[in-house]
Amino acid sequence: DAGVIQSPRHEVTEMGQEVTLRCKPISGHNSLFWYRQTMMRGLELLIYFNNNVPIDDSGMPEDRFSAKMPNASFSTLKIQPSEPRDSAVYFCASRRGDPNTEAFFGQGTRLTVV
Amino acid sequence: QQQVKQSPQSLIVQKGGISIINCAYENTAFDYFPWYQQFPGKGPALLIAIRPDVSEKKEGRFTISFNKSAKQFSLHIMDSQPGDSATYFCAASIRLSSGSARQLTFGSGTQLTVLP
């Protein structure tokens, strides 16, 4: 298994532009998480899906952020319009539905908004 | 309260020494406590995990000690090696009321440096 696949690995964009981050979870995993990591705040849970349905999006910082999971093998996190303070590493993670199983993280997308 | 508090923020240990990282939680509904290890440029990876029905779990040089009454747990790295230098995150997992969904809350992380 290739693990959780995120793209792109690095993204540099200008303030005001739309940014779309992509994630392919591990096959068979039915929970998917989007995290944001910064030096100041560490790992913050933004949103997570269970069986493609958003369960809790209370971690999404603003309406500029949106996430979708159209099917079990793909999810996107979109920021529109992007701002410099959105610069961070964004991680996607997935896990099986069994209790007490680990979440596997992707390599992350390093986003820089200039 | 979903917060997990982790300390210290950074730790420097000599090769061969013991590294100890501590975490505390408030919500007694947490029922799974994993530790993640993260190297620069990589995503966090599970290192070791424990459930609250045991007080200690050991895997190689890594040991989790769990104190349910104090709501604290810690990671001990014995015979620390330079290759252990990484950021370590404790986490706590809780099952939500909505089916099999579970939420994972992370501590703030500890940057460990093991000197050669």
Side-chain angles (χ1 to χ4, degrees):
Chain A
D1 198 320
V4 176
I5 300 173
Q6 290 185 248
S7 63
R9 288 296 311 277
H10 302 273
E11 177 80 31
V12 180
T13 190
E14 292 185 345
M15 181 175 64
Q17 295 298 305
E18 177 181 298
V19 175
T20 299
L21 311 181
R22 296 173 176 80
C23 175
K24 182 180 187 309
I26 293 174
S27 177
H29 285 194
N30 62 351
S31 293
L32 183 142
F33 307 82
W34 281 100
Y35 285 89
R36 177 172 67 177
Q37 186 175 41
T38 61
M39 289 294 293
M40 292 294 295
R41 293 182 170 152
L43 272 165
E44 299 175 279
L45 176 64
L46 300 178
I47 185 173
Y48 67 97
F49 296 83
N50 197 51
N51 294 323
N52 310 340
V53 176
I55 300 299
D56 185 357
D57 64 354
S58 59
M60 298 285 261
E62 298 172 38
D63 291 345
R64 298 183 295 108
F65 286 70
S66 63
K68 294 182 180 179
M69 192 165 185
N71 56 63
S73 60
F74 184 66
S75 177
T76 59
L77 177 67
K78 184 179 295 185
I79 309 173
Q80 166 63 20
S82 57
E83 297 182 5
R85 59 196 171 107
D86 300 332
S87 298
V89 180
Y90 290 81
F91 286 103
C92 175
S94 71
R95 60 178 288 276
R96 292 199 318 265
D98 299 336
N100 301 332
T101 57
E102 68 168 296
F104 291 83
F105 282 76
Q107 297 270 49
T109 294
R110 181 173 292 279
L111 173 65
T112 303
V113 183
V114 297
Chain B
Q1 180 67 15
Q2 300 279 350
Q3 192 176 13
V4 177
K5 295 181 179 179
Q6 182 172 348
S7 63
Q9 188 174 11
S10 62
L11 181 63
I12 299 175
V13 174
Q14 292 285 344
K15 178 182 176 181
I18 302 174
S19 304
I20 301 175
I21 304 170
N22 301 299
C23 283
Y25 62 98
E26 291 294 326
N27 191 342
T28 55
F30 286 133
D31 61 357
Y32 179 65
F33 301 88
W35 284 88
Y36 282 81
Q37 179 187 56
Q38 184 181 26
F39 293 104
K42 303 291 186 182
L46 181 69
L47 185 64
I48 185 173
I50 195 169
R51 289 196 281 185
D53 53 349
V54 297
S55 60
E56 186 176 282
K57 183 174 182 179
K58 183 176 181 179
E59 290 184 2
R61 296 185 294 109
F62 301 90
T63 300
I64 300 178
S65 296
F66 189 85
N67 186 329
K68 189 174 181 178
S69 60
K71 293 185 285 187
Q72 295 175 346
F73 58 110
S74 60
L75 176 69
H76 297 236
I77 306 175
M78 312 298 288
D79 187 25
S80 298
Q81 299 296 313
D84 297 331
S85 297
T87 301
Y88 292 81
F89 294 92
C90 63
S93 177
I94 184 172
R95 181 193 292 273
L96 298 179
S97 57
S98 53
S100 63
R102 295 183 68 87
Q103 184 172 344
L104 194 61
T105 302
F106 283 87
S108 54
T110 296
Q111 188 162 350
L112 171 66
T113 302
V114 181
L115 301 176

